């Protein structure tokens, strides 16, 4: 049994937009409620975000992956990222080894950082990406071999989805004994209220695609005859500004995002996995724009077309007015999701992982 006098978890988060950081919030809070001391390790925006969200948690800076999506070509993007990924994983393995020696952790939980494990303590990977969705076997097989090689270092794989794979679909369609579903992870709360904004665009994800989408939609928002909000997804100290009918925020904290999701007629955002979990939790109508060159988001966009609350458009062909008009006519009943029980079961497994 892992029951030291002082239980301590190292929680590591990938810097790939803020999605991996935001979905970590309910897990970290649940760990703290169980009496664990949680230390955070990440880099860039997610590290800054988590330090603000959990100011009492000690934190550590890790080597960044520096992932970008410069082209719409899946193949070229993958090739360009491999060297950065190999280097980052190798570096973070050394960093984790040093941190474990120094801080004597009870376990490690890693959200999509493949080098954040240690053979002497239970190591858990949180991921929804167990299959490579490249269109050809020439591209998909090497990626799957690479990922499977990393997965073998972890004692358990926790998937933020329900056992029926309602959201992840074929992304998690694999047979592995150490896979555990922990439910959708969102700290957002459904709160019926009067709508204050016609549309709120919440941007996220790696550059340069984040900027390209902003440049495409901002003129459309400025010309829309209604109240619009744009959240750029940039963690800065710059104040909000007003451009015509558009209120522009460089960054909003999670309570403010929660207010925006509940008080806006329509949301515009990426088909990032964490963003979708938030939208499903609050029942928000949304225009979804998959990131070009990112097969997972393209696949999730295809799946989300089955939901009445979403309309999916392609970057480069975004039509804000058309999306809003379509969603205005959609009526659906929303019931907030409750998956705390299966997350609780997973957290209890931390006491048993040394029996593998």
């Amino acid at each position: 049994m892992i029951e030291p006098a002082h239980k301590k978890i190292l929680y590591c988060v990938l810097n790939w937009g803020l999605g991996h950081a935001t979905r970590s919030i309910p897990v970290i809070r649940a760990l703290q409620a169980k009496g664990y001391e949680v230390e955070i390790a990440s880099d860039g925006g997610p590290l800054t975000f988590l330090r603000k969200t959990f100011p009492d948690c000690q934190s550590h800076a890790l080597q960044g992956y520096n992932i970008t999506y410069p082209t719409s070509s899946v193949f070229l993007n993958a090739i360009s990222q491999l060297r950065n990924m190999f280097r980052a994983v190798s570096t973070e393995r050394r960093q984790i080894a040093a941190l474990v020696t120094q801080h004597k952790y009870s376990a490690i939980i890693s959200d999509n950082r493949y080098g954040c494990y240690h053979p002497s303590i239970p190591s858990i990977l949180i991921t929804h990406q167990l299959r490579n969705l490249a269109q050809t076997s020439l591209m998909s097989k090497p990626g799957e071999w690479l990922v499977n090689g990393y997965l073998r270092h972890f004692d358990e794989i926790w998937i933020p989805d329900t056992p029926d794979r309602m959201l992840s679909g074929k992304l998690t369609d694999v047979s592995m004994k150490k896979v555990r579903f922990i439910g959708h992870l969102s700290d957002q709360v459904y709160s019926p209220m009067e709508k204050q904004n016609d549309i709120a665009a919440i941007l996220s994800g790696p550059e340069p695609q984040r900027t390209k989408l902003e440049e495409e939609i901002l003129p459309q928002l400025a010309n829309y005859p209604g109240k619009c909000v744009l959240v750029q997804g940039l963690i800065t100290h710059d104040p909000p500004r007003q451009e015509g009918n558009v209120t522009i925020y460089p960054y909003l904290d999670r309570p403010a995002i929660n207010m925006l999701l509940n008080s806006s007629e329509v949301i515009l955002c990426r088909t990032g996995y964490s963003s979708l979990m938030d939208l499903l939790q609050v029942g928000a109508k949304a225009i979804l724009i998959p990131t070009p060159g990112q097969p997972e988001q393209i696949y999730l966009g295809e799946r989300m077309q089955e939901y009445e609350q979403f309309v999916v458009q392609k970057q480069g062909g975004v039509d804000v007015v058309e999306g809003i008009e379509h969603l205005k006519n959609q009526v659906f009943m929303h019931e907030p999701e409750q998956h705390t029980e299966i997350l609780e079961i997973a957290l209890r497994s931390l006491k048993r992982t040394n029996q593998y």
Side-chain angles (χ1 to χ4, degrees):
M1 298 284 287
I2 301 175
E3 289 290 350
H6 190 65
K7 302 176 292 184
K8 187 187 294 187
I9 302 290
L10 178 62
Y11 200 105
C12 308
V13 178
L14 180 66
N15 176 10
W16 196 335
L18 291 179
H20 294 276
T22 59
R23 75 185 190 187
S24 296
I25 294 173
V27 184
I28 294 174
R29 286 176 176 166
L31 286 166
Q32 290 176 327
K34 284 187 165 298
Y36 286 97
E37 177 186 355
V38 180
E39 295 190 5
I40 295 163
S42 188
D43 66 283
L47 182 59
T48 301
F49 169 83
L50 290 169
R51 281 171 169 166
K52 289 182 177 180
T53 306
F54 299 100
D56 295 331
C57 290
Q58 185 173 347
S59 61
H60 310 277
L62 298 176
Q63 171 70 35
Y65 281 49
N66 299 318
I67 295 173
T68 62
Y69 284 88
T71 78
S72 60
S73 167
V74 176
F75 180 76
L76 292 178
N77 287 338
I79 294 299
S80 67
Q81 305 309 317
L82 280 178
R83 185 177 179 184
N84 286 343
M85 181 176 175
F86 289 146
R87 183 187 298 116
V89 170
S90 178
T91 300
E92 71 185 8
R93 284 173 57 188
R94 294 192 297 271
Q95 290 180 294
I96 294 301
L99 287 171
V100 169
T101 299
Q102 180 180 357
H103 296 278
K104 311 298 182 185
Y105 299 110
S106 306
I108 297 172
I109 298 178
S110 172
D111 191 319
N112 259 91
R113 295 194 81 119
Y114 295 129
C116 293
Y117 63 88
H118 196 279
S120 68
I121 58 175
S123 300
I124 314 296
L125 181 72
I126 296 179
T127 185
H128 61 272
Q129 300 162 310
L130 296 180
R131 289 189 60 194
N132 191 324
L133 297 185
Q135 294 179 343
T136 67
S137 59
L138 179 64
M139 295 170 60
S140 64
K141 288 301 181 184
E144 289 184 6
W145 293 334
L146 177 64
V147 171
N148 288 337
Y150 287 135
L151 295 183
R152 64 185 175 85
H153 297 292
F154 293 90
D155 298 295
E156 283 195 350
I157 311 298
W158 290 0
I159 298 176
D161 199 358
T162 50
D164 61 0
R165 306 198 316 275
M166 184 188 90
L167 181 55
S168 59
K170 64 183 180 182
L171 286 168
T172 58
D173 186 12
V174 298
S175 179
M176 298 176 66
K177 289 184 178 180
K178 58 185 178 182
V179 164
R180 182 189 296 272
F181 290 87
I182 60 173
H184 297 163
L185 300 178
S186 175
D187 64 325
Q188 301 298 276
V189 179
Y190 172 58
S191 179
M193 63 179 64
E194 183 179 349
K195 304 304 182 184
Q196 301 174 11
N197 310 299
D198 291 274
I199 184 168
I202 305 174
L203 304 187
S204 61
E207 297 288 5
Q209 299 302 337
R210 189 213 63 81
T211 295
K212 288 182 178 180
L213 181 57
E214 179 178 337
E215 292 173 346
E216 180 176 4
I217 66 170
L218 184 54
Q220 297 187 51
L221 296 177
N223 290 325
Y224 186 75
K227 188 175 180 181
C228 305
V229 174
L230 171 64
V231 182
Q232 296 173 296
L234 304 172
I235 301 183
T236 71
H237 297 292
D238 296 337
R241 66 183 190 275
Q242 194 74 29
E243 293 190 8
N245 64 324
V246 185
T247 305
I248 300 176
Y249 297 91
Y251 167 80
L252 288 178
D253 61 19
R254 293 298 282 174
I257 290 291
N258 189 80
M259 176 66 71
L260 205 57
L261 291 176
N262 283 290
S263 65
S264 301
E265 291 283 357
V266 174
I267 303 297
L268 185 150
C269 65
R270 293 294 193 188
T271 51
Y273 198 88
S274 298
S275 297
L276 295 177
M277 289 192 290
D278 288 343
L279 295 171
L280 291 171
Q281 179 66 24
V282 302
K285 296 180 179 180
I287 302 171
L288 303 175
I289 318 294
T291 300
Q294 199 166 336
E296 173 202 317
Q297 287 208 11
I298 295 170
Y299 169 70
L300 289 172
E302 293 171 354
R303 286 181 64 78
M304 292 305 104
Q305 293 183 65
E306 301 175 5
Y307 289 76
E308 294 180 343
Q309 71 192 83
F310 300 138
V311 59
V312 182
Q313 299 181 350
K314 289 185 178 180
Q315 184 170 309
V318 177
D319 190 323
V320 172
V321 173
E322 181 182 279
I324 293 174
E325 292 304 312
H326 175 83
L327 290 169
K328 277 184 178 179
N329 300 320
Q330 298 300 316
V331 179
F332 66 97
M333 296 297 294
H334 174 62
E335 296 183 7
E337 301 176 331
Q338 298 293 336
H339 300 144
T340 54
E341 183 176 328
I342 53 178
L343 174 59
E344 175 73 17
I345 293 172
L347 294 179
R348 287 203 297 267
S349 76
L350 283 173
K351 298 178 181 180
R352 301 192 301 271
T353 47
N354 64 333
Q355 298 174 7
Y356 294 161

